[in-house]
Amino acid sequence: MRKNIVAGNWKMNKTLQEGTALAKELQAALTGKVINCDVIICSPFIHLASINEIVDGKSVKSGAQNCADKVSGAYTGEVSAAMVASTGAKYVILGHSERRAYYGETNAILKEKVKLALENNLTPIFCIGEVLAEREAGKQNEVVKKQITEGLFDLSAEDFGKIVLAYEPVWAIGTGKTATSAQAQEMHAFIRQTLVAKYGAAVANETSILYGGSCNKDNAKELFSNPDVDGGLIGGASLKVDAFLPIVEAF
Ligand code: PEP
């Protein structure tokens, strides 16, 4: 059966000292605890090597929030998938709406990033989701299907089986406005059907589809109780253990 996952996206928050302190606190809180999901913290690049010394890779795993679309070379300021993997990180968020909106990441660029992440044994957490105007126009399914098709559907079934999806309606990210449980389930079921049509039921049923967008300790249980919601990608509420832990424990 597919995995339940709760992944924290720290975004551009926490100094190295603050980040390592948070990772230590979370690891201590989860050590020896029975938890029913994989827990991942996706930190800024500069934290990765230190965090991978702290987390045990079992109860807490680590990931990056991005990687380059190039292998190596004269790309000042970029960090490659191989570099991310060399820190011990196992995951990488790709296609977050903030990367798409502020840094011009297109589906074509993301396709390259996904390929390089997989070549370096990183699991992409591939983000998809519509903006408010698209939802208001009833175009959310069309938008999400295009993001998945153009970003991922060149992959073989075997490689697609290594992908985690995160549905994040952009209007819900950082706004305090969560999708209703019914809206989340409806979209997740649509995504899974889209995967069935492309890769068949076996692959689709093994793919974890996370919800992201103002998920917190008060709404996580209801969101995660939906049959097609396999966990969450958590922004703001991942920055403090007492906000994040109850979301992990919602499973
Ligand atoms: C995110 O950035 O992926 C996210 C879901 O943020 P927030 O939980 O703060 O809405």
Side-chain angles (χ1 to χ4, degrees):
M1 250 329 256
R2 57 184 178 259
K3 281 182 186 169
N4 292 325
I5 298 170
V6 172
N9 173 15
W10 291 1
K11 311 196 187 195
M12 196 175 74
N13 291 296
K14 307 281 177 195
T15 62
L16 179 59
Q17 290 73 21
E18 291 164 348
T20 51
L22 176 57
K24 272 183 200 153
E25 197 185 336
L26 183 67
Q27 180 63 68
L30 290 175
T31 300
K33 242 193 177 165
V34 177
I35 39 172
N36 299 316
C37 61
D38 281 6
V39 177
I40 306 162
I41 45 181
C42 295
S43 69
F45 290 129
I46 63 136
H47 299 55
L48 285 173
S50 305
I51 284 180
N52 281 305
E53 299 278 311
I54 294 166
V55 300
D56 63 6
K58 296 186 189 90
S59 52
V60 185
K61 303 169 202 279
S62 111
Q65 300 169 16
N66 183 27
C67 70
D69 62 338
K70 304 287 192 301
V71 175
S72 66
Y75 302 102
T76 302
E78 287 294 291
V79 175
S80 72
M83 292 172 188
V84 170
S86 74
T87 68
K90 301 290 182 211
Y91 292 82
V92 59
I93 296 172
L94 292 176
H96 191 281
S97 62
E98 289 151 17
R99 302 286 325 163
R100 292 177 188 263
Y102 308 146
Y103 301 97
E105 294 197 0
T106 61
N107 292 325
I109 291 172
L110 292 169
K111 193 166 96 175
E112 294 306 309
K113 295 191 177 202
V114 167
K115 196 170 133 248
L116 289 166
L118 290 174
E119 279 173 18
N120 286 283
N121 298 315
L122 294 171
T123 299
I125 302 174
F126 191 83
C127 302
I128 51 190
E130 79 286 356
V131 300
L132 186 59
E134 290 163 340
R135 170 140 307 243
E136 285 174 347
K139 291 192 168 154
Q140 64 271 20
N141 289 9
E142 191 187 314
V143 168
V144 165
K145 187 172 180 181
K146 186 171 156 69
Q147 291 169 333
I148 297 174
T149 304
E150 293 183 2
L152 297 172
F153 276 3
D154 271 4
L155 296 175
S156 65
E158 190 190 342
D159 277 346
F160 190 87
K162 299 169 189 163
I163 301 286
V164 172
L165 288 175
Y167 169 59
E168 300 205 301
V170 180
W171 45 270
I173 297 179
T175 59
K177 193 173 177 216
T178 320
T180 64
S181 180
Q183 282 172 322
Q185 170 54 26
E186 186 181 27
M187 177 56 87
H188 283 228
F190 169 74
I191 293 168
R192 206 172 303 284
Q193 271 317 113
T194 304
L195 305 188
V196 170
K198 171 72 181 173
Y199 291 111
V203 170
N205 288 332
E206 284 298 308
T207 303
S208 299
I209 308 176
L210 316 185
Y211 168 80
S214 299
C215 184
N216 59 41
K217 60 181 166 39
D218 299 322
N219 57 31
K221 216 177 185 65
E222 190 186 350
L223 285 162
F224 298 172
S225 68
N226 287 298
D228 288 295
V229 178
D230 308 311
L233 181 54
I234 317 298
S238 69
L239 296 173
K240 286 195 177 135
V241 169
D242 61 359
F244 192 55
L245 206 52
I247 301 176
V248 170
E249 290 169 341
F251 274 113

